[in-house]
């Protein structure tokens, strides 16, 4: 997966690093739309003077159509507590949206899809949930590899629809674990 950056970023007086991830995902089958929704920014903030193998990680997810910067309020508190923080934009949010208004207004972000004849339906929502679960894993693995954050303690912090994204990612991970470790319960 290509990762671009690292550019300095500061939230609430705490300096971190901003990256740009690109991992293709099939949302609609329309190339320019899928590419726009597949790439996303990630901001990582580390506590000072704490070894990576003893540093828990919180991945913050904003609601649909809201930029990750709206989670900036968690950065100083968590980093001062010795916890690393990673924030990223979900599909249709912040820099991963079509309008990039950073308004959090859903109908403004969804309108370009409707204008192109793409239904904003349960199938598209399921794809958005699935890619967010995948992206949480990508962000976690990146933090492990780049910053040596190998502490097994991981928390998801969601706001608004970010709570639902986090819950889906958790249950999807548990389902995957159960199927791979215990076999499919339907067998």
């Amino acid at each position: 997966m290509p990762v671009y950056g690292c550019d300095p970023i500061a939230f609430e007086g705490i300096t971190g690093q901003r990256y740009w991830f690109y991992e293709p995902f099939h949302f609609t089958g329309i190339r320019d739309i899928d590419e726009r929704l597949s790439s996303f920014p990630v901001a990582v903030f580390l506590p000072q003077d704490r070894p990576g193998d003893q540093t828990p990680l919180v991945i913050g997810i904003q609601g649909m159509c809201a930029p990750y910067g709206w989670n900036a309020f968690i950065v100083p508190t968590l980093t001062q507590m010795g916890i690393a923080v990673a924030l990223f934009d979900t599909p249709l949010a912040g820099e991963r949206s079509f309008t990039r208004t950073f308004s959090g207004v859903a109908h403004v972000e969804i309108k370009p899809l409707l204008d192109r004849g793409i239904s904003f339906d349960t199938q598209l929502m399921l794809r958005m949930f699935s890619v967010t679960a995948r992206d949480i894993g990508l962000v976690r693995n990146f933090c492990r590899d780049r910053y040596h954050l190998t502490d097994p303690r991981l928390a998801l912090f969601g706001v608004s629809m970010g709570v639902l994204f986090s819950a889906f990612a958790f249950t999807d991970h548990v389902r995957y674990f159960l199927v791979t470790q215990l076999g499919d319960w339907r067998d």
Side-chain angles (χ1 to χ4, degrees):
M1 169 189 65
V3 176
Y4 306 95
C6 96
D7 300 313
I9 187 170
F11 281 163
E12 307 284 327
I14 307 297
T15 302
Q17 300 296 321
R18 182 184 178 278
Y19 300 89
W20 193 263
F21 285 29
Y22 180 71
E23 183 69 17
F25 189 83
H26 176 86
F27 288 92
T28 66
I30 300 171
R31 186 174 178 209
D32 66 310
I33 291 174
D34 289 353
E35 283 194 19
R36 184 73 175 250
L37 295 175
S38 291
S39 60
F40 57 99
V42 177
V44 179
F45 301 87
L46 302 172
Q48 292 192 7
D49 304 320
R50 186 160 188 179
D53 64 339
Q54 298 172 22
T55 303
L57 173 64
V58 170
I59 298 177
I61 306 168
Q62 243 320 318
M64 188 173 79
C65 305
Y68 71 81
W70 287 11
N71 273 337
F73 68 93
I74 69 172
V75 172
T77 302
L78 293 176
T79 55
Q80 289 169 11
M81 293 172 60
I83 300 170
V85 179
L87 308 173
F88 73 93
D89 279 336
T90 58
L92 297 178
E95 294 178 83
R96 199 174 184 175
S97 75
F98 296 106
T99 63
R100 297 190 178 182
T101 61
F102 304 94
S103 67
V105 179
H107 73 273
V108 171
E109 299 296 340
I110 294 167
K111 187 176 182 317
L113 292 173
L114 301 177
D115 290 346
R116 299 268 308 261
I118 298 166
S119 297
F120 190 75
D121 57 12
T122 54
Q123 290 198 6
L124 182 57
M125 286 298 294
L126 179 57
R127 288 186 200 107
M128 289 173 56
F129 276 83
S130 296
V131 79
T132 300
R134 179 206 69 180
D135 294 347
I136 289 169
L138 292 174
V139 170
R140 181 179 192 202
N141 292 342
F142 175 79
C143 290
R144 180 196 63 225
D145 298 343
R146 179 65 161 242
Y147 295 105
H148 310 290
L149 297 177
T150 57
D151 188 306
R153 295 175 289 174
L154 171 69
L156 301 177
F157 177 85
V159 175
S160 187
M161 189 147 172
V163 173
L164 298 176
F165 283 139
S166 296
F168 178 87
F170 175 78
T171 55
D172 190 55
H173 177 73
V174 169
R175 180 196 55 80
Y176 175 80
F177 173 79
L178 292 175
V179 168
T180 59
Q181 299 302 311
L182 304 175
D184 191 339
W185 60 271
R186 294 171 286 204
D187 290 340

